[in-house]
Amino acid sequence: MSLRVRELVAGYRRGTVLHGVDLDVGPGQAVALLGRNGAGKSTLVMTVMGLLRARSGSVRVDGHELAGARPHRMARAGCAVVPQGRRLWAPLTVGEHLELAARQGRRRGGSWTVERIVEALPRLGERRRQAAGRLSGGEQQMLAIARALLTNPRLVLLDEPSEGLAPAVAEQVAEVVTSMLADGVAVLLVEQDLYLAFSVADQVAVMQRGRIVHRASTPEFRRDPGTAHRLLGVS
Amino acid sequence: MLTWLDANLVSILNGLAIGSLLFILAVGLSLVFGMMDVLNLAHGALFLAGAYLGHLFVGQQAGWASFAGALGVAAVIGALAGGGLSVMTEPLAHRSHLDQALLTLGVALVVAELLSIAFGNDVQSVAAPPGLDGSTVVLGSTYPVYRLVLIGIGALLAVAVHVVIERTRLGLLVRAAVADREMVSALGVDERRVKAAVFGIGSALAMVAGVLGGPIYGARPGLDSTVLILALVVVVIGGLGSVRGALIGALVIGQVESLGRVLLADLASFVLFGALALVLVLRPQGLFGARAQART
């Protein structure tokens, strides 16, 4: 499915964060959203998902205008989110997370089932009876991704999935994202870890002060360290 | 010990009966607040409306049919009123607790005033159903049968609510929404429906509690704010959004209100808020706070 964002303006009571964002994610595409802290990446994710109300602009999913729609309508249109900080339901068990998400996923139909998730992420199967709040950081991230996948989405918004994880665990996250892509799911990936972002994404978009200021294919972007340095402050 | 128990048995039983009633009242308040962040100050007015409904149906002539009828009608009207309150608070969903509190307080004042216009300012009594209006002997003390029945109803409802919350699909949804309701809606669940359902059930329970409390408290102006404050204290002590917390909190406050007033007669007006202050100092999130962290 395709996501088409145009001139999106949104923010919090204290002030506007997104000053007219234009962004496209094509069917099955993986776009890495890069930018410094405070550029508005998370705000964009939250606004696209409907968790933050858009002030103006357009969010189209497969051509349907959904700007300002509530989150459950975005979910029913095929979007899922793995938010920053994971936002699991801490007192609920791993099994309950999977069941609740799968219940929504079954309604929509698709290939992800609890059995398949547990096969792909065996750690979650082992910890089925444990409260989500007592999992390790990596396990929590896996559960947050599993929860999103079980709704059988066609676009997943991933907000800093490697945050706070050891490199080996971050690599596992990258593997899961790659298998999502192999399934034909489109991905918008917010990521500070450039190595992880480059290994997953085929397109790169850079945000600065609430706007997309640069777009390139991943190989193009990697050949152009001057731009990366200017926009991201890294070499 | 035994003589102490003997001397205070009636107070302890009274505490259990008050606790039962408070649990039925507070569980809805706790779930609506814990899950949807809506502080429903009209909860006490619903209780009072239930009490007057009982008076209207039962009055002085006690009867099983009229009492059961009052309970049924209270449940239906309560559910509808809860649905209405849920819709009314929807536009304020992204505003502060204070704005919602002002709205529901306004509703509470209007309802209380309408009830006082309709039923006057006198205490209206409600008779217990026949067979339950007498007294029996419990371990050597005479005790009203109706209050024993109320303790039983409270226990049954506590079990029923526990089963619904812990074992059913709706319960799973409610627990998830208490922990983080935005993530529930991001799965594709229309949170307004869950909110309306929980609001409806909670409000139905509040009105049913009003009918059940009728034979003990009667119906009178001012009862609404008295029970609202008690229920709020229960919710704060037990922790937001926790059924177990509401149960423990209700039992504690029941005893504080009954046994506490007897044992600490000099401090009678202080013990309730003393207990509240103690919990807030020692465990600000309540004894069983179910929410991971406060949302801003």
Side-chain angles (χ1 to χ4, degrees):
Chain A
M1 91 180 202
S2 66
L3 174 72
R4 188 170 177 275
V5 177
R6 286 294 175 274
E7 298 187 20
L8 189 64
V9 177
Y12 303 88
R13 206 170 278 189
R14 277 158 279 156
T16 309
V17 178
L18 304 181
H19 299 275
V21 171
D22 296 328
L23 182 70
D24 292 273
V25 181
Q29 215 177 30
V31 176
L33 188 60
L34 309 177
R36 292 192 173 107
N37 282 335
K41 306 183 296 289
S42 292
T43 305
L44 178 58
V45 166
M46 296 301 268
T47 309
V48 168
M49 195 61 205
L51 291 163
L52 192 68
R53 191 59 69 87
R55 289 205 193 130
S56 65
S58 156
V59 175
R60 282 174 187 269
V61 174
D62 288 338
H64 299 287
E65 181 57 59
L66 285 169
R70 285 166 175 271
H72 72 271
R73 287 190 55 209
M74 294 307 298
R76 288 174 191 179
C79 300
V81 65
V82 180
Q84 196 170 27
R86 292 137 202 167
R87 293 182 65 174
L88 298 172
W89 302 299
L92 272 63
T93 65
V94 171
E96 286 173 335
H97 277 78
L98 301 180
E99 187 200 326
L100 206 51
R103 201 188 290 168
Q104 299 303 317
R106 272 195 294 275
R107 220 174 272 177
R108 208 166 298 128
S111 62
W112 286 99
T113 59
V114 173
E115 292 71 37
R116 191 173 158 209
I117 282 283
V118 171
E119 208 172 294
L121 303 166
R123 290 298 286 274
L124 293 183
E126 289 162 24
R127 307 229 181 268
R128 229 163 162 155
R129 289 167 169 279
Q130 215 170 79
R134 312 189 65 169
L135 299 176
S136 72
E139 289 163 349
Q140 288 193 4
Q141 193 61 61
M142 294 301 174
L143 182 56
I145 294 175
R147 176 174 68 179
L149 276 182
L150 277 171
T151 66
N152 283 310
R154 288 173 302 142
L155 169 69
V156 178
L157 312 166
L158 283 152
D159 197 349
E160 304 220 12
S162 75
E163 195 185 23
L165 300 186
V169 185
E171 212 156 287
Q172 282 178 16
V173 171
E175 274 168 34
V176 178
V177 175
T178 310
S179 72
M180 268 158 65
L181 288 165
D183 242 42
V185 176
V187 169
L188 180 66
L189 173 71
V190 175
E191 189 50 72
Q192 298 279 359
D193 179 346
L194 288 187
Y195 177 76
L196 195 158
F198 291 155
S199 74
V200 170
D202 31 43
Q203 293 270 323
V204 171
V206 183
M207 266 188 104
Q208 211 171 51
R209 291 189 211 94
R211 286 190 183 83
I212 304 285
V213 293
H214 186 72
R215 281 214 64 154
S217 74
T218 304
E220 257 174 0
F221 192 76
R222 297 187 77 168
R223 277 198 301 271
D224 188 6
T227 306
H229 185 74
R230 180 169 55 83
L231 295 172
L232 303 172
V234 293
S235 52
Chain B
M1 182 66 199
L2 264 178
T3 41
W4 182 87
L5 195 68
D6 227 29
N8 292 298
L9 182 66
V10 169
S11 294
I12 294 172
L13 287 174
N14 274 338
L16 280 175
I18 297 172
S20 275
L21 209 54
L22 278 179
F23 169 73
I24 303 169
L25 187 65
V27 72
L29 192 66
S30 176
L31 284 180
V32 170
F33 194 10
M35 177 168 136
M36 292 305 177
D37 258 353
V38 177
L39 180 54
N40 179 22
L41 294 180
H43 215 67
L46 289 166
F47 178 95
L48 185 59
Y52 277 118
L53 195 77
H55 166 70
L56 205 63
F57 270 62
V58 182
Q60 310 294 340
Q61 270 98 48
W64 275 100
S66 52
F67 200 78
L71 286 174
V73 172
V76 172
I77 296 181
L80 292 175
L85 281 166
S86 176
V87 172
M88 282 175 76
T89 51
E90 197 54 47
L92 300 178
H94 297 287
R95 305 262 290 269
S96 71
H97 288 155
L98 183 62
D99 294 349
Q100 300 171 359
L102 282 174
L103 174 69
T104 55
L105 181 64
V107 172
L109 292 173
V110 169
V111 170
E113 192 57 32
L114 288 175
L115 288 172
S116 119
I117 290 170
F119 295 95
N121 287 325
D122 300 327
V123 178
Q124 309 286 350
S125 64
V126 182
L132 305 181
D133 49 357
S135 294
T136 184
V137 176
V138 182
L139 299 172
S141 304
T142 317
Y143 198 73
V145 177
Y146 182 76
R147 295 190 180 202
L148 289 177
V149 172
L150 192 58
I151 294 171
I153 293 174
L156 274 179
L157 268 175
V159 172
V161 171
H162 177 82
V163 168
V164 167
I165 293 292
E166 296 294 329
R167 296 268 183 273
T168 67
R169 296 158 68 106
L170 176 67
L172 180 55
L173 211 55
V174 169
R175 280 183 293 137
V178 167
D180 190 335
R181 78 171 184 281
E182 282 190 344
M183 284 301 111
V184 173
S185 66
L187 283 187
V189 178
D190 188 348
E191 59 166 303
R192 280 174 302 182
R193 285 197 196 177
V194 185
K195 176 183 166 188
V198 173
F199 226 125
I201 294 170
S203 301
L205 284 175
M207 272 192 83
V208 165
V211 177
L212 290 173
I216 297 176
Y217 293 106
R220 60 176 167 80
L223 184 63
D224 51 341
S225 39
T226 309
V227 296
L228 176 65
I229 288 172
L230 286 174
L232 284 172
V233 172
V234 166
V235 170
V236 172
I237 285 186
L240 293 176
S242 162
V243 173
R244 199 162 33 138
L247 179 62
I248 304 290
L251 290 176
V252 168
I253 293 306
Q255 292 306 336
V256 165
E257 277 290 282
S258 173
L259 197 58
R261 279 170 190 272
V262 173
L263 297 181
L264 304 166
D266 296 339
L267 302 170
S269 57
F270 169 79
V271 282
L272 173 66
F273 297 106
L276 176 64
L278 197 67
V279 170
L280 282 178
V281 168
L282 297 177
R283 249 186 100 79
Q285 73 274 40
L287 298 175
F288 295 96
R291 281 168 56 176
Q293 72 261 330
R295 282 187 290 265
T296 49

